[in-house]
Amino acid sequence: MKNETPATKAKRLQNYITPRHRRLIVALLIGPLPRETGDRVAGASNSPHYIGELRDKFHLSIRTERVEKIDRDGFVTRPGIYHLEPESRELARLLLAPK
């Protein structure tokens, strides 16, 4: 399975995609996805879990950029912004295709 084409890999993995995965893939194809937005898009408060599944189970290359922000209480935080890497765009599109 190491030398699978993106189309073959997508066909094999399509049975395991949930609506949450699909919504996140669509959002990632549009552009960078902040973690908080990912929660709203996925419809769950644990989008990092689903991003992890997209990486591990669906073999998408998703980079996490950490940005420094000050929260409402004045504390420095480093929320993530997810980026779908160019080499995974074809697989992402194929995963969304009808079976």
Side-chain angles (χ1 to χ4, degrees):
M1 287 196 231
K2 220 174 198 186
N3 295 326
E4 280 183 299
T5 66
T8 305
K9 189 181 292 187
K11 188 101 170 139
R12 180 174 53 82
L13 295 171
Q14 277 182 326
N15 294 328
Y16 305 102
I17 291 183
T18 68
R20 290 177 179 178
H21 293 126
R22 287 183 177 282
R23 290 190 293 265
L24 286 169
I25 291 171
V26 168
L28 287 164
L29 283 166
I30 292 169
L33 182 66
R35 185 266 160 96
E36 296 88 355
T37 305
D39 287 352
R40 287 191 297 278
V41 166
S45 62
N46 58 344
S47 61
H49 169 80
Y50 292 98
I51 293 292
E53 287 186 344
L54 290 175
R55 288 176 176 138
D56 299 338
K57 292 181 181 178
F58 300 99
H59 310 284
L60 293 176
S61 181
I62 302 169
R63 176 175 53 88
T64 302
E65 172 190 9
R66 294 290 182 174
V67 294
E68 195 168 284
K69 290 194 173 195
I70 307 297
D71 70 11
R72 72 172 78 182
D73 298 316
F75 295 105
V76 176
T77 62
R78 293 182 39 84
I81 299 176
Y82 302 114
H83 300 266
L84 182 64
E85 296 291 7
E87 64 269 16
S88 286
R89 294 185 76 75
E90 179 184 7
L91 175 58
R93 285 187 191 99
L94 289 167
L95 285 167
L96 295 174
K99 293 181 190 180

